[in-house]
Amino acid sequence: MNNENWLGAKQLSLATSLRLLSTASLVICGVVFVLPPALYFEWAMDVDARTLRTEALLNAQSVLALSTQQPDSWSTDLSLLQELFSSENDVDDDEERRSVFSASGQLLLEQSAQELDAPRLTELVLIGDPESPIGSVAVTRSVRHVWLESASVAVGSLVFSGLLLWFMRGVLLSALRQAIEKLQEEKERALITLRSIGDAVITTDSEMRVQYLNPVAESLTGWTTEEAQGLLMDEVFFIVQEESRAPAVNPIKECLQSLQIVEMENHTVLVRRGDGQEFHIEDSAAPILHSDGRAIGAVMVFHDVTERKASQQQLKHTAFHDTLTGLPNRQLFRNRILTATEASRADGTITAVLFLDLDRFKGINDSLGHSVGDELLILVAKRLRQCVRESDTVARMGGDEFTAVLGGIHSVDNVRLIGEKMLASLANPFHIEGQHLRISTSIGVSLFPQDADNLEDLLKLADSAMYQAKDSGRNNVQFYTPDLNTRATEKLQLEYALHTALENNEYALVYQPKLDLTTGKILGVEALLRWVSPERGIVMPGDFIDRLEETGRIVQVGLWVLKTAIQQAKHWLDAGCPKVVSVNVSAYQLRQSGLVADIAGMLDAASLPAKWLQIELTESLLMNDADRSDFLFADLLGIGVGIALDDFGTGYSSLGYLRKFPIQELKIDRSFVTDIDSSETAERVVKTVVELGQALNMYVTAEGVETAEQLLRLRAMGCDAVQGFHLARPMDSEALDVWLTEFQPSADISFEI
Ligand code: C2E
Ligand code: MG
Ligand code: MG
């Protein structure tokens, strides 16, 4: 991989320092070589010159003295001069030569005729008054020895400087080697780091030309180092703004201008060469600075944050959406109402807030299990979405509560139409885990600006309209009207009153007899709950059982019912007119663990044999959660309690459980019995159920028999028993005692009262 430039800056400064150091060592060695001989030469010549001069002066003095003593003969009688020089100077004739000249410059005496070695140094001194000298003396000496000595000094310093140079070079070289090794090591380390880190790295020169890409950068940009080298950074690293898609400013450009580290916000998207794949990236660029402060390149580090970005978006989505259905949640829904009402305020249209509650969803959840409940909610969400425009919002507030906000509405009729469309859509059966489920829905609507002009009130009013829809028989759409507020208050009061009803002993049981059509005898009675409210009078279970279930209070109330019914059954047993007392048990109650043990305990306490108690369950209970139902049935059978299947035909069409569970009695729902005269279908259903019961060896009772005709038909069909107003209305135990004594059992009774 061509990455030599990566550490170029360092190499550059290293080479310069080496060059400098080499020159310096050469200069030092040159000086060391030249200076000592030169200095020695200078010094030695100076010493010789001074010596010669002194000698010449002394000789001139002697000659002057001689000329004073022998003014006439000193210059003619050469023996005088020869004597003078031989006595006064003890010189080595080999090295020096003295000459005496007359005033006219004629050589009078030359002490040694021997030729002196070159080079030579001569000092000439005038004799006597310099203005009118009588002659001159010259002393000449060979200075060859000075040259020779200087030469030997030069040889010595040459050797020394050579050694010095060798030493310095050696030191430098090893320092350089070390530096290079270190550099190499550093480079390797840097390269390995660059190759192994998860971040992408691109380096450029100061002109923004790409020099190096690490493998991550290569895969993110779609360029290899070889291909990208020398190209401009903008070409290789192509980034655009996430939202506007406009080309984004390359951080390297900014960093080279500012000479500072530049961090980019993570709103840039890198577009890969070739396949055009996009990556959300986070990047930063730093300049590579030379020691003199100038930028010689830049490094850019970036990483792919696409996944993080996606998970952030996912988190954001989760924060505003319901995880089960994917619909907007409460918070987003509130925002959408605000947006819609703002728009309505601006264009004078209507915004409708719809509050939807699935009727008796809790029962489905409790009896069929949460997985069925969840699946149902998902399907409901889908259907609701299909009922509204793309611009409308359907949200889930939690549980089985859905909401919708419809904006830009011109007519209230449109809202009603959409509400009814929702009802119709949700009324179609749902197919979940092989079962056909039917639900109904109650919808409450509030309108902006008619009903309220703020979010909180709109929600509150739609909610109370929804309760009104429930109260008006469910499965309908109710628009908010001011008197709903009063009803809402009433509802709250009802809930409060229910809360204290058990403590205040306000519950009572009534009993409705069942006539056995074969024997004409009253073999059993059904215990039915009443709330005798001091304010409201007698309240029917249809008006409060749901509330008890919603609040969970059904558990305590249910135990009270069982206990009272058991005591009553014991009373009849003791009185000699034993009756099987049937008690309705809701799904919610059954889900509470320990119910069977409680029943056993109560039977025990009352000393009532279990066969005088029967539990009425609805079909939904038996569906799904088969293991749990298995245990439950086994336990109930274990203690000897009978089981009846109530409201048969209204629930679920899968009847596999009839074989599976030990049910002794089927109670055909009133709706079929009522229609038995008018509808062939109803008649056929009843007939089939009777036959099914016979085939499975079950006792079949028809509920809600109101006419003698119905009774006779049912008997003709082979129905085992009847229960209904035609025979008797539910009544309290005392009234029933009286009724029982008056009732005349007969095998072919016509019951025409
Ligand atoms: P259910 O178990 O199907 O009870 C029969 C209902 O039909 C009773 O209504 C009874 O008064 C009514 N009925 C009987 N014969 C006729 C008739 O000929 N015509 C008409 N129109 N109605 C007739 P009630 O007492 O209002 O009870 C309604 C439901 O409330 C019961 O239906 C049962 O599901 C529930 N319920 C009653 N008592 C209890 C209780 O103690 N615990 C629980 N969990 N539910 C109860
Ligand atoms: Mg019942
Ligand atoms: Mg029933």
Side-chain angles (χ1 to χ4, degrees), residues 526 584 616 646 667 703:
E526 178 174 7
N584 294 284
E616 288 195 11
D646 204 355
K667 295 186 80 176
E703 287 184 309

